[in-house]
Amino acid sequence: MTITATPTPGSQLINPTNHALVLIDFQSQMAFATKSIDAVQLRNNAALISNAAAGFKVPTILTTVAEKSFSGPMFSEITEAFPGQELLDRTSMNTWEDANVIKVVNAIGKPRIVFAGLWTSVCIVGPTLSALEQGFEVYIITDACGDVSTEAHERAVERMIQAGARPMTSLQYLLELQRDWARTDTYDMTTGIAKKFGGSYGLGIIYAKTMFGAHEG
């Protein structure tokens, strides 16, 4: 059998219009006990995906748990990317059990959900398994999640993958939204986010543009 290739993207790739992003419990109290990832890297990755989603106008839900009574404010790196957006505060550990959150999920109406947050084994496993069971496609940004130990994080990710979730990383999320450097309307925004939050890749962009006036397109 002959298979003919075509220059078209695969259906499992994300783009700015085919998913909703849900950022869960990026709060100071939750971060204090997070040991599977350095706090600086965690905040950087949260900022990267938040700025990417805001820049590409991805519908995004910001949710917290017991914000005023226990867990504290959401990371400013996230809220600054979505100025004025309401934070949906919950009592349930599983975001998917909160009626207000689900109301917004249904209003957005995307069959594909991307999750990130703290802790992986509680705040991300719960909604991921629940959404999968209800027929949603689920992606998890694993390096924008953290847990009380590396063991806890890794077992949670494995459990979600076994159930059908698809893992990805923060930088991958940004670049998959852009996907083509010929898309000039978002080129400067994408490289700007990468330069600020993209680690050594961002440094490489700064170097190439400063030294040689390089351009990815």
Side-chain angles (χ1 to χ4, degrees):
M1 182 179 67
T2 301
I3 299 175
T4 302
T6 62
T8 55
S11 62
Q12 293 186 24
L13 294 172
I14 63 164
N15 65 52
T17 62
N18 71 0
H19 73 286
L21 175 67
V22 184
L23 301 179
I24 302 173
D25 301 351
F26 283 100
Q27 297 168 264
S28 52
Q29 194 277 335
M30 306 301 294
F32 291 152
T34 298
K35 305 301 181 184
S36 63
I37 183 172
D38 178 76
V40 174
Q41 188 65 53
L42 174 66
R43 293 176 69 177
N44 181 82
N45 293 346
L48 196 160
I49 61 175
S50 297
N51 281 270
F56 281 96
K57 298 180 173 53
V58 174
T60 301
I61 295 172
L62 308 180
T63 180
T64 56
V65 62
E67 178 191 10
K68 299 190 184 305
S69 62
F70 185 73
S71 297
M74 181 167 264
F75 293 179
S76 59
E77 290 88 347
I78 296 174
T79 56
E80 287 170 2
F82 302 97
Q85 180 163 327
E86 179 185 7
L87 304 182
L88 302 179
D89 197 46
R90 319 177 320 277
T91 59
S92 61
M93 286 183 277
N94 180 4
T95 294
W96 211 258
E97 295 180 41
D98 185 89
N100 290 327
V101 172
I102 295 306
K103 181 179 179 180
V104 179
V105 169
N106 288 333
I108 292 171
K110 303 293 184 182
R112 179 173 290 171
I113 308 289
V114 178
F115 286 118
L118 305 177
W119 295 327
T120 323
S121 60
V122 181
C123 306
I124 303 303
V125 163
T128 292
L129 298 184
S130 302
L132 285 167
E133 189 170 303
Q134 293 178 19
F136 288 82
E137 290 183 76
V138 176
Y139 292 63
I140 46 174
I141 306 179
T142 56
D143 67 346
C145 297
D147 215 314
V148 296
S149 67
T150 300
E151 173 82 8
H153 174 75
E154 290 181 350
R155 296 297 82 73
V157 171
E158 288 176 349
R159 183 181 178 189
M160 290 185 285
I161 291 172
Q162 288 172 356
R166 299 179 176 123
M168 64 190 312
T169 64
S170 301
L171 187 58
Q172 180 185 359
Y173 180 74
L174 168 66
L175 297 180
E176 203 160 311
L177 290 174
Q178 174 67 28
R179 203 178 307 149
D180 189 340
W181 295 120
R183 294 174 180 165
T184 55
D185 55 334
T186 53
Y187 172 84
D188 287 338
M189 178 192 70
T190 298
T191 55
I193 293 171
K195 285 191 289 186
K196 190 172 184 179
F197 303 112
S200 57
Y201 172 61
L203 287 174
I205 294 174
I206 293 170
Y207 176 82
K209 288 181 176 294
T210 301
M211 300 301 292
F212 313 113
H215 192 286
E216 286 82 348

